[in-house]
Amino acid sequence: MSVRVQAEAFDPGAELNAFTAAASSSGAVVSFSGVVRDVEGGLSVMEIEHYPGMTEKALEKIRAEAMTRWDLEGALVIHRFGPLHPGEVIMMVATAARHRVAAFEAAEFLMDYLKSRAPFWKKEVSGQGKSWVAAKEADEQALTRWAGPTDAA
């Protein structure tokens, strides 16, 4: 399975080992794991919501685009939902290609999409109360280098 949206924790090292073993004809494998970071005021928990079915479909679409744009041998996207605490792994992407540039660019493309366009909603709960995480201008700007079909995603 190449896209997973799940509540359960996962082991990024084990996921990467399995992904790499399956990408036997690739010369490059790139991965990125995102971790819930603490915020000023002491983050107690980050609550991540999504629409089951819709989220997976959106992630499959962007994964398919990455596979085509960079001629990848494989691409993996894992994203968690539910309550997550500081230090927990929230997401992972991995890409495999014949050459490193394609693997790096495709991984960055997937990460930029996940940060700005994937249908997840995040609420931070801290000692200062609850607040929804707002989109950041820097994340929106990062998408501009990938202009094309993802604009409608």
Side-chain angles (χ1 to χ4, degrees):
M1 186 179 279
S2 55
V3 169
R4 294 193 337 245
V5 178
Q6 63 189 54
E8 302 80 26
F10 64 91
D11 178 345
E15 296 289 346
L16 182 58
N17 287 340
F19 180 80
T20 301
S24 59
S25 67
S26 290
V29 172
V30 171
S31 72
F32 174 84
S33 298
V35 178
V36 177
R37 65 175 167 260
D38 202 351
V39 296
E40 194 172 320
L43 182 71
S44 299
V45 68
M46 177 178 285
E47 298 172 356
I48 301 175
E49 298 179 10
H50 76 108
Y51 287 114
M54 181 183 92
T55 302
E56 291 85 351
K57 185 176 179 180
L59 297 184
E60 283 287 357
K61 180 179 176 185
I62 200 66
R63 180 195 169 275
E65 184 174 337
M67 293 287 294
T68 301
R69 277 181 144 185
W70 284 277
D71 191 26
L72 301 178
E73 181 180 3
L76 172 69
V77 178
I78 305 171
H79 203 296
R80 293 182 61 199
F81 65 90
L84 297 162
H85 297 91
E88 288 189 78
V89 177
I90 187 172
M91 57 74 64
M92 175 183 179
V93 301
T95 57
R98 292 185 54 75
H99 303 286
R100 65 184 165 89
V101 172
F104 273 108
E105 287 180 357
E108 286 185 291
F109 170 79
L110 289 168
M111 291 180 301
D112 287 345
Y113 173 82
L114 285 170
K115 190 73 174 167
S116 298
R117 292 290 185 271
F120 291 101
W121 296 270
K122 300 173 185 175
K123 186 188 308 179
E124 294 176 339
V125 180
S126 71
Q128 299 177 347
K130 297 179 180 183
S131 63
W132 290 101
V133 176
K136 295 184 174 100
E137 182 60 31
D139 294 333
E140 292 298 317
Q141 284 297 318
L143 283 177
T144 61
R145 66 184 167 155
W146 314 116
T150 55
D151 296 338

